[in-house]
């Protein structure tokens, strides 16, 4: 580990109190473990390449600009978009206009506008007559997004619901 990333080094506690098995780097055990992991990584890479090739062979209906509704939704955003946010929005909407399934992940720190990027994509979809789902890793985030989407889509012909473990 480079010295400038030393903070990433931490004590290994093992699983369920078991001490880890140690081996020296010049032993047969180490070479076998390294080869096994290398083969597993190659298998994963092959699977990913095959899956991606199959995805690229699929065709979808493109989602074109939805006209005035989409323009009104965009202009109703109460904040000024950052350059990065505008680029992410443009890239995502461009992906939706293609005939291949979208394959994009939007990453950023908390508070940097990822939800608005998702809402613009959702707006494009629903204004083109499609349904949209937003998956959240926690019940709390699902509830927060539910409220945020309801506020943002207020006044537009969109019905928003939340499904979580708390939903009967």
């Amino acid at each position: 580990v480079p010295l400038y990333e030393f903070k990433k080094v931490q004590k290994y506690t093992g699983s369920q109190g078991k001490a880890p098995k140690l081996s020296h780097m010049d032993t047969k055990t180490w070479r076998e473990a390294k080869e096994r992991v290398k083969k597993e990584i190659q298998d994963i890479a092959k699977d990913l390449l095959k899956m991606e090739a199959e995805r690229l062979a699929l065709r979808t209906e493109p989602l074109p600009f939805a006209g005035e509704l989409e323009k009104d939704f965009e202009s109703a955003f109460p904040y000024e978009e950052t350059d990065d946010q505008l680029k992410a929005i443009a890239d995502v909407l461009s992906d939706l206009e293609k005939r291949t399934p979208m394959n994009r992940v939007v990453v950023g720190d908390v508070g940097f506008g990822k939800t608005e990027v998702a809402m613009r994509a959702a707006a494009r979809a629903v204004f083109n007559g499609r349904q949209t789902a937003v998956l959240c890793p926690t019940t709390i985030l699902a509830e927060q997004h539910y409220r945020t989407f309801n506020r943002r889509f207020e006044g537009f012909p969109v019905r928003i619901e939340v499904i979580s473990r708390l939903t009967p």
Side-chain angles (χ1 to χ4, degrees):
V1 176
L3 188 58
Y4 61 87
E5 291 186 355
F6 188 74
K7 65 180 177 265
K8 292 182 179 179
V9 175
Q10 54 187 309
K11 181 181 176 185
Y12 177 79
T13 56
S15 60
Q16 302 191 354
K18 293 181 184 176
K21 292 182 181 178
L22 299 178
S23 60
H24 293 279
M25 292 175 67
D26 61 349
T27 64
K28 181 181 176 190
T29 306
W30 175 257
R31 284 190 299 277
E32 287 172 351
K34 205 166 92 172
E35 283 304 311
R36 188 180 68 250
V37 169
K38 184 177 180 181
K39 184 187 177 329
E40 289 174 9
I41 290 171
Q42 288 172 340
D43 290 345
I44 291 169
K46 285 178 190 174
D47 289 345
L48 286 172
L49 287 171
K50 182 180 179 235
M51 184 174 60
E52 185 60 18
E54 289 170 356
R55 281 178 71 6
L56 287 174
L58 295 174
R59 291 293 169 246
T60 62
E61 277 299 311
L63 295 175
F65 176 70
E68 288 302 313
L69 267 176
E70 189 172 339
K71 192 183 292 185
D72 292 345
F73 185 80
E74 178 184 315
S75 64
F77 185 52
Y79 307 101
E80 187 173 331
E81 298 94 339
T82 65
D83 290 341
D84 288 341
Q85 194 176 24
L86 286 170
K87 181 176 179 350
I89 290 167
D91 289 346
V92 166
L93 294 180
S94 172
D95 285 351
L96 290 174
E97 294 172 0
K98 295 177 182 171
R99 291 196 165 278
T100 53
M102 183 189 288
N103 193 11
R104 179 176 299 277
V105 176
V106 178
V107 179
D109 286 338
V110 171
F112 279 80
K114 297 177 302 297
T115 303
E116 180 62 19
V117 175
M119 284 194 273
R120 299 279 177 98
R124 167 76 57 97
V126 297
F127 296 156
N128 273 287
R130 304 287 175 81
Q131 289 185 3
T132 303
V134 177
L135 303 178
C136 303
T138 67
T139 304
I140 292 171
L141 187 59
E143 195 60 41
Q144 288 173 339
H145 280 332
Y146 174 66
R147 286 194 296 269
T148 301
F149 271 67
N150 269 318
R151 268 194 313 274
R152 185 71 173 87
F153 279 91
E154 190 175 0
F156 291 93
V158 176
R159 186 173 129 213
I160 298 169
E161 298 291 339
V162 65
I163 301 172
S164 75
R165 64 184 178 85
L166 303 177
T167 307

